[in-house]
Amino acid sequence: MEEAVRSLTSRGWLADGRLTDEGRAVHTAVSERVTRFRQQVTQNVSPQEYQTAVEVLRRMAANAER
């Protein structure tokens, strides 16, 4: 966590534990890109199929951590 805080602070995106104006702008831009990407990759995938895929990947990740 400390490393992430240092990195965000050094980029000018975080100051005194809060996002700066630049940090908020970057967060908004990234959020919009993630939303567009998620829409693209889940096209023609039902909500049930998506949930199933997420659960399977979650279990696989847990197996890999062991």
Side-chain angles (χ1 to χ4, degrees), residues 28-48:
T28 297
V30 169
S31 180
E32 290 170 355
R33 288 182 70 184
V34 167
T35 297
R36 285 192 306 272
F37 179 76
R38 185 175 291 145
Q39 289 170 344
Q40 179 185 358
V41 299
T42 60
Q43 189 174 16
N44 300 317
V45 176
S46 73
Q48 183 180 8

Side-chain angles (χ1 to χ4, degrees):
M1 182 70 149
E2 291 174 17
E3 183 178 336
V5 169
R6 276 194 301 274
S7 177
L8 294 172
T9 300
S10 71
R11 294 174 187 205
W13 297 348
L14 190 70
D16 299 323
R18 293 176 176 240
L19 286 176
T20 62
D21 289 343
E22 185 180 359
R24 280 189 291 282
V26 170
H27 180 272
T28 297
V30 169
S31 180
E32 290 170 355
R33 288 182 70 184
V34 167
T35 297
R36 285 192 306 272
F37 179 76
R38 185 175 291 145
Q39 289 170 344
Q40 179 185 358
V41 299
T42 60
Q43 189 174 16
N44 300 317
V45 176
S46 73
Q48 183 180 8
E49 290 171 316
Y50 178 80
Q51 284 303 114
T52 299
V54 169
E55 178 55 33
V56 168
L57 292 169
R58 187 176 291 131
R59 286 183 293 183
M60 291 171 68
N63 289 342
E65 288 178 0
R66 284 189 242 146

